[in-house]
Amino acid sequence: MTSEIIKRLLNEAFKPELLEIIDHSAAHAGHAGARSGGGHYHVTIVAEAFAGKSLVQRHQLVYKALGDMMKQEIHALGINALSPSEETKGIH
């Protein structure tokens, strides 16, 4: 299952304090991306690796960790990437 692979890759890359993956693929059935095999996911991840990084840098780190999955298995990915200090302050 794709969400399990996403979870494994992000755990290996970031050793996050929190990782939540929501699969929205079923809600997009019939959508052009869904027909080509790519799923729709939303990831919330809290890791020290994101401290001091811009939003774009954080997203680039996640995309790099997922590698080739972004080309086929994942059609759409929402990312909420936070550092531990942001998560404890309630910044979302």
Side-chain angles (χ1 to χ4, degrees), residues 4-57:
E4 289 301 316
I5 298 169
I6 293 170
K7 184 177 185 175
R8 180 178 53 81
L9 291 172
L10 294 179
N11 274 318
E12 289 173 2
F14 300 108
K15 308 291 188 260
E17 293 182 16
L18 173 76
L19 178 58
E20 178 182 77
I21 301 165
I22 301 171
D23 184 347
H24 292 293
S25 301
H28 296 275
H31 173 279
R35 285 193 298 273
S36 67
H40 291 68
Y41 302 90
H42 189 274
V43 171
T44 298
I45 183 168
V46 177
E48 191 59 44
F50 302 124
K53 302 278 193 298
S54 72
L55 181 65
V56 170
Q57 291 170 322

Side-chain angles (χ1 to χ4, degrees), residues 17 45-53 58 81-92:
E17 293 182 16
I45 183 168
V46 177
E48 191 59 44
F50 302 124
K53 302 278 193 298
R58 293 170 190 214
L82 304 167
S83 71
S85 64
E86 291 169 326
E87 201 271 336
T88 58
K89 291 178 186 172
I91 299 172
H92 295 269

Side-chain angles (χ1 to χ4, degrees), residues 55-71:
L55 181 65
V56 170
Q57 291 170 322
R58 293 170 190 214
H59 286 207
Q60 288 171 334
L61 288 170
V62 171
Y63 295 147
K64 183 178 179 184
L66 296 176
D68 288 341
M69 289 190 76
M70 293 302 302
K71 296 177 183 174

